[in-house]
Amino acid sequence: MANFNEEEIDDTDGNDDLYEHYRFKADKGQGALRVDKYLMNLIEKATRNKIQKAATAGNIYVNGVPVKSNYKVKGNDVVTVLFEHPPYEFLLVPENIPLDIVYEDDAVLVVNKPAGMVVHPGHGNYSGTLINALTYHFENLPNNSSNRPGLVHRIDKDTSGLLVVAKTEEAMTHLAKQFFDKSTEREYVALVWGNVEEEEGTVEGNIGRHPKNRLQNTVYENDEEEKGKPAVTHYKVLERLGYVTLVSCRLETGRTHQIRVHMKYIGHTLFNDERYGGEKILKGTTFSKYKQFVENCFKVLPRQALHARTLGFVHPVSGEFMRFECPIPEDMEACLEKWRNYSQHVIE
């Protein structure tokens, strides 16, 4: 059975999933030392060959910049290592974490994932994930092709919203096929920088790993299209708030960071999306009061402004089409209220 994707996921149809196994900050008095030797001293059972392969692939970062194995680590350097496979020995530890269950029966479970919760272990997050919670609360969940119990699709750590979980093998197969066939309904709401000109539109552009920043994805065009996989996002303006716009995004495909990449591609980066540059003031005035206002908005919503609001699918047993909707969470709503007040009383 194939593994199927949701908007904010690693595209596991390929073999280029990367996981942040380790992150170290060098002591202030650290003497200059090759990064491969530095890591061998800190990572248990790590071979020099494995570390050097990671460096050759551009998967060792110092202060966010990829380095070669001969880079000399200095005091206060932050060293991050990414490998192709997660440390499976840490994956399936059940943890008593509360779940916001929207719907449950014998076959499926629909949960409202809060922002800040990772869906499955990896990227330096080996506990506190949705998988840890699911394996505690539910026994004998079926594994998907990546050995992740119940997981049919995923959304990013800092994206809130709805996920469906399979409780039986039959439900897993049925739901996975729906995601593959693009017959599910998936709608997100996003706050983006700038005034989106068209009331609605479609973004098409092949998405693949960024050539210089392996933690990002990008759109590949023209002669480079084959470097990415086809991706289609339909958007519609919900509310214009001056220097930002609230949009609804419906997915036709599921690629890594699809909405985040596509909206940036058309010049409307998600508000406070640090990975893609949305944590900077991209639109607006130069007044210091405006800068303070935006910084206050960032504090209220300390993550990208993206919420998986609507999820629809055919029930694997009854054959009934089921649609679920969860309201915009408090942090995002508080940020929207600030922009509503600002756009009404300042911009006008």
Side-chain angles (χ1 to χ4, degrees):
M1 182 180 68
N3 192 41
F4 302 94
N5 303 307
E6 179 51 76
E7 188 273 325
E8 292 278 17
I9 70 169
D10 293 314
D11 190 351
T12 47
D13 288 335
N15 296 314
D16 58 352
D17 283 45
L18 295 172
Y19 294 84
E20 181 181 296
H21 280 204
Y22 301 99
R23 181 184 177 91
F24 304 104
K25 183 171 182 179
D27 294 335
K28 187 177 180 180
Q30 171 70 47
L33 181 65
R34 282 177 59 114
V35 70
D36 53 358
K37 292 183 179 180
Y38 173 81
L39 290 170
M40 283 186 65
N41 291 338
L42 293 171
I43 301 175
E44 187 178 356
K45 297 181 181 178
T47 64
R48 188 169 183 179
N49 182 50
K50 184 176 182 179
I51 291 171
Q52 288 182 337
K53 278 186 176 180
T56 301
N59 297 334
I60 294 180
Y61 290 75
V62 176
N63 305 323
V65 179
V67 298
K68 297 186 180 301
S69 56
N70 63 356
Y71 173 88
K72 299 291 180 67
V73 177
K74 302 178 291 296
N76 294 322
D77 275 352
V78 176
V79 183
T80 304
V81 189
L82 290 84
F83 295 124
E84 289 185 353
H85 300 289
Y88 287 102
E89 65 270 22
F90 299 123
L91 283 183
L92 303 178
V93 179
E95 296 178 42
N96 187 9
I97 302 168
L99 291 171
D100 182 1
I101 297 174
V102 176
Y103 174 84
E104 180 185 1
D105 62 26
D106 291 339
V108 300
L109 178 76
V110 177
V111 297
N112 180 17
K113 186 191 80 67
M117 174 183 269
V118 177
V119 171
H120 61 77
H123 297 281
N125 299 280
Y126 305 122
S127 64
T129 74
L130 180 65
I131 288 287
N132 297 115
L134 289 171
T135 53
Y136 179 90
H137 293 288
F138 301 95
E139 295 182 357
N140 302 318
L141 290 174
N143 283 337
N144 66 12
S145 62
S146 299
N147 293 317
R148 290 171 180 145
L151 215 59
V152 181
H153 64 123
R154 297 164 282 167
I155 57 178
D156 187 66
K157 172 184 177 182
D158 289 326
T159 300
S160 55
L162 295 173
L163 286 161
V164 61
V165 176
K167 295 177 71 176
T168 67
E169 292 284 356
E170 294 77 14
M172 174 71 76
T173 301
H174 197 286
L175 290 168
K177 188 175 188 305
Q178 290 184 58
F179 277 89
F180 180 74
D181 292 340
K182 306 180 182 68
S183 61
T184 58
E185 180 182 342
R186 294 169 291 164
E187 183 244 3
Y188 291 69
V189 286
L191 185 67
V192 301
W193 280 108
N195 183 26
V196 179
E197 289 186 14
E198 302 294 333
E199 286 297 320
E200 55 186 271
T202 297
V203 187
E204 297 185 59
N206 288 16
I207 290 177
R209 191 83 66 179
H210 196 287
K212 295 182 179 178
N213 187 339
R214 298 284 287 172
L215 298 178
Q216 285 188 11
N217 281 330
T218 190
V219 171
Y220 285 97
E221 301 177 280
N222 304 322
D223 294 340
E224 294 190 317
E225 279 188 351
E226 73 281 355
K227 293 182 180 180
K229 294 186 177 182
V232 182
T233 304
H234 305 284
Y235 68 87
K236 183 178 181 180
V237 171
L238 298 177
E239 196 172 353
R240 298 182 185 278
L241 299 168
Y243 301 126
V244 295
T245 307
L246 185 67
V247 295
S248 164
C249 294
R250 292 187 178 271
L251 298 179
E252 194 172 304
T253 54
R255 303 299 179 204
T256 309
H257 299 170
Q258 181 171 318
I259 290 173
R260 299 162 73 181
V261 172
H262 270 174
M263 295 312 291
K264 180 175 182 175
Y265 175 64
I266 64 171
H268 297 288
T269 304
L270 264 63
F271 186 77
N272 208 12
D273 187 351
E274 183 175 359
R275 182 166 293 189
Y276 289 92
E279 86 287 7
K280 302 180 181 69
I281 297 177
L282 300 181
K283 297 290 180 180
T285 74
T286 57
F287 297 133
S288 58
K289 282 187 177 180
Y290 175 71
K291 181 182 178 183
Q292 185 61 54
F293 163 75
V294 174
E295 288 176 350
N296 288 337
C297 289
F298 288 158
K299 289 177 183 177
V300 168
L301 183 67
R303 63 178 180 100
Q304 71 257 12
L306 186 62
H307 174 64
R309 181 168 68 175
T310 306
L311 178 63
F313 55 89
V314 173
H315 193 279
V317 177
S318 70
E320 174 190 359
F321 186 82
M322 308 183 76
R323 179 185 288 107
F324 301 92
E325 195 169 300
C326 64
I328 294 172
E330 290 182 4
D331 60 351
M332 195 166 166
E333 192 60 55
C335 180
L336 288 171
E337 277 303 311
K338 282 184 172 294
W339 276 106
R340 287 177 185 125
N341 291 332
Y342 185 87
S343 63
Q344 288 175 6
H345 297 111
V346 179
I347 296 177
E348 292 181 0

